Amino acid sequence: MTDIRKQLLAAFEAEHREHLQAIRTALDHMGGGEIDLTDVFRRAHSLKGAARAVDLPSVEEVAHQLEALFSHVLDGQQSLDEPTVATVRQSLDLIEDLVANVLKPEPTQAVSTPAPNPASLASEPRAPTTDAADAGSGSYLRVSAEQMEELSDSMHQLLAELQADAGIDDALRQIELEIRGLRRSWDHLHAQVNALASPTQQSRGGPSFLPRLRDFDQGLKALFRRVSALSRDRRQSSWSVEQAARQVRDNIDRVSLVSAETVFGGFGHMVREIARKAGRDVNVRSIGLDVQVDRQVLQALKDPVMHLLRNAVSHGAEPPDERRAKGKPERAEVTLELASRGGRLAISIRDDGRGPDLRRIERVAVDRGLLQRRDLGHPPPMIDQLLSLVFTPGFSTADEVDRLSGRGIGLSVVAEAVRKLQGSVLLRPRYPHGTEVLLNVPLTAARQPLLLLEAEERMFGLPSHAVERLLRLPANALESVEGRPTARIEIGGQDVVVPVVTLAALTGSPNAPLPSEAGHVKAVLVRHGSRSCALAVNAFHDVRTMLVSDVQAIGLTELVSGTTFLDNELPALVLSPDKLVEHWIRNESRLAAGGLGIAHRAPEEERRARSILVVDDSITTRTLEKSILEAQGYEVLLSVDGIDALHVLRSGEAMVDLVIADVEMPRMDGFSLLQAIKNDPRLSTLPVILMTSRADPEDVRRGLDLGASAYITKQKFDQRELLATIGQVL
């Protein structure tokens, strides 16, 4: 395959996924009456032209059929009813499958090469592990993944050494302060000595030691100046070295990150093939595959995510007759969604199937001795208590082992893989149908922000992402439930009774008392799913980004996700927050069954995702903003100009919480759109953010005077600024 052909196919792979995803998303929003048929038609047309450019006639033909279908719908000659939508979805799947077959990796073949010229080898030495290639527009260096990992580890170790080196700076600063104090004492003493050695005293024959005092005074001043200068230089040098090291670390991390598409991109095709061979009709959606993640993290999650997708099909997808009887579409849906949130990777695998079989889970748990058999009339365990059991090694509710259900090993393999990455996993039912598994892991495998804690003279690290709040609870305000300490804590606007658990009691000292100091208990509020616990500790120390190694600890394997080394070279155990909560749930099953620590969540329909209307005539800008916002959980609607946006808003077919609009657009610009919104009594309270390249102060003032909630210029566009502004407005 020629280089130009490879480049065209690589570009087409990204483009065709964008068009397919956009059309699928439009079809998904049909239920709310919101579908941009013009955009859908344009995308089918663009897909046809792109397929022709890369010489894929089979894809071009299917795209042409889609284009003709959407054209008839736009002209009113055909309606977009359920059979038509089903045909469109099948065509989209067919295009994805055709492209996947074309882009399959070619089998490695032995290549015959002429014997090298000894003279050329002598004059042109070759590196054994790297390979440079000219790609026309620039040069590329291919380096083995192992070398990149070693380089990254070395860089992180260097930063750890620099952090430890900060102790020298503190010591030098202390010496400077001590010399400063010595200098002040000497100045006071010098005045007294001068008084004693006055000319009157010398005339009486007293000893004269003024010359030696002057020499000592000058020497002390010189020493003080040198130490002060050295301290300043040391601080400046340390700061510069640390900044340079951090810059190198960030550059290395950027090289180590790859698109999730590289590992998860083919999952949709694979799962559909498996489902078809099992006689099931499943639509598989993939969202957020453009997120950048450490290659090691993606590889570690490859099998677990595939296992969860198989489970979603095998346990979730009912036969068409059963789905019709429940009022569902005949075609089951499975969604894989990835998003980057706060330096961590959030993965959701969800379906619209049967949902967790709580009775069967309880039966299997009782049979395996994980739960006590309930007496007749006794209430069942809490949902989170039951669902946490499915990650127990060997736990499986499958009646038989088949290609879909895997080998009957259950979800423990998923939990173990996530634990090794210092992450968390959660299974929960969806409303009104289905199941969702949430994985939360770091974007990079090596470094973790940790909260350092002390309990019973032992140091522990707790991933900072799991820390909801640091608490200082009055000891006399603690309450007791069945003899266990609890505290009333405001969580999400609710007054929740949370268990207060001594961390040392969970980590090897079962009889450890509740630590208190000056009449208060220090505790860390952690949360797993809807359950919260307050972990009582002796002291909080620091929050640091540290290297975490996957080292097992005897007796604490379940609770410990890794180890890290402190400044004194002593190891500290890194704890798994979700395992700590699950450990408490198992040990205190009666309290857990009573709902202690649970903040009751609102029904899913009441927790509707915020909807944002993006108005911009540039498809590139619309696509960029849409991907950024959807990765943060927002629902995104698109309009190409102000008139189109007003039609969406005034139709009432979609609930919009915020408008983000460009200023320079055809037909109706952003200022006119803003003015029309604020003059419409039904829309006047709707917040609007103007985001444009027009940075003139007069334009900014005009936008704000017209009622814009914020004005962001594209010259300094930063997605963090956009998201922060949206957070403040909403």
Side-chain angles (χ1 to χ4, degrees):
M1 187 183 296
T2 63
D3 287 343
I4 186 61
R5 171 72 170 164
K6 289 181 180 178
Q7 293 176 19
L8 285 173
L9 282 177
F12 177 73
E13 180 182 15
E15 183 177 357
H16 97 281
R17 288 189 186 280
E18 177 188 333
H19 290 316
L20 293 182
Q21 184 59 48
I23 296 174
R24 284 171 173 151
T25 301
L27 296 177
D28 293 341
H29 290 166
M30 274 189 56
E34 163 58 26
I35 181 168
D36 187 349
L37 287 173
T38 302
D39 182 66
V40 169
F41 169 79
R42 181 189 59 76
R43 288 184 179 278
H45 176 77
S46 300
L47 191 57
K48 181 183 74 171
R52 182 184 301 133
V54 294
D55 192 23
L56 296 179
S58 55
V59 177
E60 180 184 352
E61 176 60 28
V62 179
H64 175 69
Q65 294 173 6
L66 282 175
E67 180 189 28
L69 186 151
F70 290 134
S71 176
H72 294 156
V73 174
L74 279 170
D75 295 341
Q77 302 176 21
Q78 185 172 347
S79 62
L80 204 57
D81 51 18
E82 287 192 12
T84 305
V85 171
T87 301
V88 172
R89 290 190 184 277
Q90 290 174 2
S91 299
L92 297 176
D93 291 349
L94 178 57
I95 291 174
E96 189 169 1
D97 293 344
L98 289 170
V99 176
N101 288 330
V102 171
L103 298 176
K104 281 181 180 177
E106 299 178 0
T108 304
Q109 299 179 352
V111 181
S112 174
T113 57
N117 186 337
S120 67
L121 287 177
S123 59
E124 299 180 9
R126 298 163 57 190
T129 57
T130 59
D131 177 27
D134 186 4
S137 61
S139 38
Y140 297 85
L141 184 67
R142 190 172 62 207
V143 183
S144 68
E146 290 76 12
Q147 285 181 309
M148 279 304 305
E149 290 163 10
E150 290 175 2
L151 180 60
S152 180
D153 290 344
S154 299
M155 187 65 249
H156 296 317
Q157 186 61 45
L158 173 59
L159 278 176
E161 293 295 335
L162 287 175
Q163 288 180 342
D165 198 37
I168 299 177
D169 294 334
D170 293 339
L172 187 58
R173 176 63 176 167
Q174 186 61 37
I175 292 174
E176 181 185 1
L177 292 176
E178 290 177 2
I179 292 181
R180 189 187 300 273
L182 183 62
R183 172 63 197 275
R184 285 196 297 266
S185 299
W186 166 247
D187 287 342
H188 181 67
L189 180 61
H190 192 199
Q192 294 178 341
V193 170
N194 281 338
L196 292 175
S198 63
T200 305
Q201 295 290 337
Q202 293 183 31
S203 65
R204 297 177 182 175
S208 176
F209 41 80
L210 284 179
R212 283 185 294 172
L213 286 178
R214 282 195 297 269
D215 292 343
F216 180 81
D217 181 55
Q218 291 174 0
L220 183 59
K221 289 180 180 177
L223 176 62
F224 175 71
R225 287 193 295 269
R226 289 175 59 190
V227 171
S228 297
L230 180 62
S231 181
R232 286 194 303 271
D233 293 344
R234 169 69 181 183
R235 288 196 296 270
Q236 178 63 37
S237 175
S238 297
W239 184 87
S240 300
V241 171
E242 184 176 359
Q243 291 302 111
R246 290 184 184 278
Q247 183 65 47
V248 174
R249 180 202 65 194
D250 293 342
N251 291 339
I252 291 174
D253 286 346
R254 275 194 290 271
V255 174
S256 302
L257 300 182
V258 298
S259 169
E261 178 87 28
T262 60
V263 176
F264 297 158
F267 278 12
H269 171 68
M270 293 166 61
V271 174
R272 276 195 299 272
E273 281 296 309
I274 293 173
R276 285 171 187 163
K277 291 180 180 179
R280 307 192 186 189
D281 189 14
V282 177
N283 175 41
V284 183
R285 302 172 58 214
S286 299
I287 303 172
L289 293 183
D290 56 341
V291 64
Q292 298 288 308
V293 189
D294 189 331
R295 188 189 65 85
Q296 290 178 277
V297 172
L298 291 175
Q299 289 294 336
L301 292 176
K302 182 177 181 181
D303 290 340
V305 169
M306 191 62 195
H307 182 76
L308 292 173
L309 289 170
R310 285 175 179 266
N311 271 3
V313 175
S314 63
H315 294 291
E318 313 101 319
D321 293 342
E322 184 178 337
R323 292 182 64 85
R324 276 197 304 270
K326 295 179 179 178
K328 300 181 183 181
E330 290 188 12
R331 197 178 201 198
E333 183 166 285
V334 175
T335 302
L336 168 65
E337 182 172 3
L338 291 82
S340 172
R341 297 193 180 103
R344 296 182 68 82
L345 174 65
I347 302 178
S348 168
I349 298 96
R350 54 186 183 268
D351 61 72
D352 64 347
R354 298 185 179 96
D357 189 343
L358 299 179
R359 292 183 179 178
R360 182 163 181 78
I361 292 173
E362 183 179 1
R363 242 182 355 254
V364 173
V366 170
D367 292 342
R368 297 201 54 203
L370 299 173
L371 285 178
Q372 295 289 334
R373 192 176 301 275
R374 280 191 292 128
D375 296 332
L376 189 63
H378 195 276
M382 299 294 291
I383 291 179
D384 70 325
Q385 185 179 4
L386 276 177
L387 295 182
S388 67
L389 298 174
V390 302
F391 298 103
T392 305
F395 193 103
S396 178
T397 59
D399 291 319
E400 59 184 9
V401 176
D402 57 21
R403 181 171 182 178
L404 280 176
S405 298
R407 307 183 183 277
I409 55 179
L411 294 174
S412 62
V413 291
V414 177
E416 178 64 16
V418 173
R419 185 197 67 80
K420 288 184 177 179
L421 293 171
Q422 289 83 53
S424 62
V425 59
L426 180 68
L427 175 70
R428 67 186 185 189
R430 297 184 67 211
Y431 180 88
H433 307 290
T435 307
E436 182 175 26
V437 181
L438 296 169
L439 309 180
N440 189 288
V441 298
L443 289 173
T444 59
R447 294 179 300 116
Q448 295 295 312
L450 299 177
L451 169 64
L452 297 180
L453 308 167
E454 184 179 341
E456 293 289 299
E457 299 182 351
R458 299 167 64 192
M459 291 293 294
F460 297 96
L462 198 66
S464 61
H465 76 92
V467 177
E468 292 281 318
R469 211 179 305 167
L470 298 181
L471 305 171
R472 192 168 181 266
L473 305 170
N476 57 10
L478 297 182
E479 303 175 4
S480 178
V481 176
E482 296 190 17
R484 300 291 191 270
T486 62
R488 291 186 177 273
I489 300 174
E490 189 275 328
I491 300 177
Q494 301 179 45
D495 189 21
V496 181
V497 179
V498 174
V500 180
V501 187
T502 303
L503 180 61
L506 295 177
T507 55
S509 301
N511 299 319
L514 192 68
S516 64
E517 180 182 354
H520 287 78
V521 175
K522 295 179 180 178
V524 184
L525 186 67
V526 297
R527 183 175 176 180
H528 179 50
S530 58
R531 182 88 65 170
S532 297
C533 284
L535 305 176
V537 300
N538 293 93
F540 311 125
H541 281 275
D542 197 2
V543 176
R544 297 185 194 173
T545 299
M546 307 181 73
L547 286 170
V548 179
S549 304
D550 180 31
V551 179
Q552 300 294 336
I554 298 175
L556 293 175
T557 303
E558 180 188 29
L559 303 180
V560 176
S561 60
T563 59
T564 189
F565 284 92
L566 306 173
D567 294 343
N568 55 9
E569 299 300 320
L570 291 178
L573 299 177
V574 179
L575 302 174
S576 171
D578 56 324
K579 290 297 181 183
L580 288 171
V581 177
E582 290 174 7
H583 184 73
W584 176 84
I585 290 174
R586 285 197 301 273
N587 288 354
E588 301 285 356
S589 56
R590 286 190 59 186
L591 293 176
L596 195 65
I598 288 184
H600 297 283
R601 301 191 306 163
E604 195 162 322
E605 71 273 16
E606 295 181 15
R607 294 182 291 108
R608 177 185 62 85
R610 295 299 185 97
S611 180
I612 298 177
L613 176 63
V614 173
V615 190
D616 201 301
D617 61 319
S618 167
I619 182 174
T620 302
T621 303
R622 290 201 308 270
T623 303
L624 173 63
E625 293 177 19
K626 182 174 184 290
S627 63
I628 292 173
L629 297 174
E630 286 186 339
Q632 299 299 316
Y634 295 109
E635 290 185 0
V636 181
L637 308 175
L638 300 176
S639 290
V640 296
D641 57 32
I643 292 179
D644 186 26
L646 275 181
H647 172 72
V648 172
L649 294 171
R650 289 171 174 169
S651 68
E653 296 176 351
M655 186 178 296
V656 177
D657 299 295
L658 172 69
V659 175
I660 299 177
D662 188 18
V663 170
E664 294 181 349
M665 295 182 292
R667 300 203 297 171
M668 177 183 282
D669 65 15
F671 290 137
S672 301
L673 171 62
L674 174 61
Q675 192 168 17
I677 290 174
K678 296 305 176 182
N679 289 336
D680 190 326
R682 297 174 302 167
L683 304 174
S684 58
T685 59
L686 182 65
V688 178
I689 295 176
L690 293 179
M691 191 164 71
T692 174
S693 57
R694 291 170 63 166
D696 189 89
E698 292 184 1
D699 291 324
V700 177
R701 190 180 307 108
R702 180 185 176 190
L704 296 177
D705 289 343
L706 287 172
S709 301
Y711 194 106
I712 302 176
T713 57
K714 293 180 180 178
Q715 286 92 336
K716 61 183 183 68
F717 172 70
D718 184 298
Q719 72 176 52
R720 291 171 296 183
E721 179 190 5
L722 173 61
L723 295 174
T725 304
I726 292 173
Q728 293 172 358
V729 170
L730 292 180

